[in-house]
């Protein structure tokens, strides 16, 4: 549990800022209607929280607090948007844990993650179809850019704040 509200707000702001960096990786591939553009931020917020939980930087309870704080600060009392982030969090948590548990599945899961980050709100785990909706080269390029962001940029932005928890 995050005991200091100002640290929680600082963390949510920093994660929100990182959502823009994550969005830059997929900006050429986004497929959504303009009215749904906020979903990009919500999708990315859930993804970043899932990554932080998988890497043991946040607990599940702290991730829930971040969702509530982010929605409360930026959107108001909107249950649907909070549920959107929670669904995104759950989806990516499962897939990021799969990568951690079975690295042999990395390409398969990378294709799922990159596909879904480019299409906010889809949450398609390819249970019914082949995952290669994009070229293998595109998947690899996006996965490498995503890994670079997660392991190089994200720590610069979040570790100083997470160290205060």
């Amino acid at each position: 549990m995050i005991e200091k509200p100002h640290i929680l707000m600082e963390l949510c702001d920093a994660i929100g800022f990182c959502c823009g960096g994550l969005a830059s990786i997929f900006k050429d591939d986004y497929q959504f209607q303009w009215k749904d553009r906020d979903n990009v931020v919500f999708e990315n917020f859930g993804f970043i929280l899932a990554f932080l939980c998988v890497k043991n930087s946040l607990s599940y309870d702290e991730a829930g607090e971040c969702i509530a704080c982010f929605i409360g600060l930026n959107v108001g009392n909107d249950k649907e948007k909070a549920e959107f982030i929670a669904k995104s969090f759950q989806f990516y948590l499962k897939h990021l844990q799969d990568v951690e548990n079975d690295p042999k599945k990395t390409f398969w899961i990378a294709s799922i993650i990159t596909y879904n980050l480019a299409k906010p709100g889809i949450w398609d785990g390819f249970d019914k179809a082949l995952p290669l909706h994009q070229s293998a080269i595109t998947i690899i390029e996006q996965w490498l850019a995503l890994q670079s962001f997660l392991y190089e940029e994200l720590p610069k932005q979040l570790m100083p704040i997470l160290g205060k928890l």
Side-chain angles (χ1 to χ4, degrees):
M1 186 163 154
I2 301 173
E3 297 184 19
K4 297 180 182 175
H6 68 282
I7 295 174
L8 177 61
M9 289 187 286
E10 185 180 354
L11 179 60
C12 289
D13 284 346
I15 293 171
F17 178 76
C18 290
C19 289
L22 186 59
S24 69
I25 296 169
F26 299 97
K27 68 179 184 233
D28 295 333
D29 298 298
Y30 281 129
Q31 295 179 4
F32 59 88
Q33 293 183 1
W34 183 246
K35 68 180 177 61
D36 296 325
R37 66 190 175 279
D38 288 347
N39 290 350
V40 171
V41 174
F42 301 142
E43 184 88 13
N44 292 349
F45 198 88
F47 175 79
I48 290 170
L49 288 177
F51 178 78
L52 293 172
C53 285
V54 167
K55 295 303 181 184
N56 297 316
S57 296
L58 281 181
S59 70
Y60 298 131
D61 288 340
E62 291 168 336
E65 289 178 54
C66 286
I67 293 170
C69 178
F70 185 77
I71 291 296
L73 288 173
N74 297 294
V75 182
N77 188 15
D78 192 325
K79 182 180 174 185
E80 286 180 23
K81 291 180 176 156
E83 287 175 352
F84 188 102
I85 295 174
K87 287 177 184 176
S88 173
F89 170 76
Q90 291 170 334
F91 178 82
Y92 292 112
L93 183 66
K94 176 198 178 304
H95 292 293
L96 290 168
Q97 286 172 332
D98 286 348
V99 169
E100 292 288 312
N101 296 333
D102 191 357
K104 291 182 274 182
K105 292 183 179 179
T106 297
F107 182 77
W108 172 266
I109 296 169
S111 65
I112 292 171
I113 290 172
T114 58
Y115 176 81
N116 282 277
L117 284 172
K119 295 158 189 62
I122 298 293
W123 306 311
D124 183 353
F126 303 128
D127 298 329
K128 299 176 186 150
L130 293 174
L132 301 177
H133 299 309
Q134 45 194 170
S135 76
I137 291 174
T138 301
I139 293 167
I140 293 167
E141 288 172 346
Q142 288 177 336
W143 185 250
L144 291 174
L146 182 59
Q147 295 299 298
S148 175
F149 177 80
L150 293 173
Y151 290 101
E152 294 173 20
E153 193 58 39
L154 201 63
K156 289 179 198 173
Q157 302 298 323
L158 301 183
M159 290 314 288
I161 301 165
L162 292 171
K164 297 176 189 178
L165 296 179

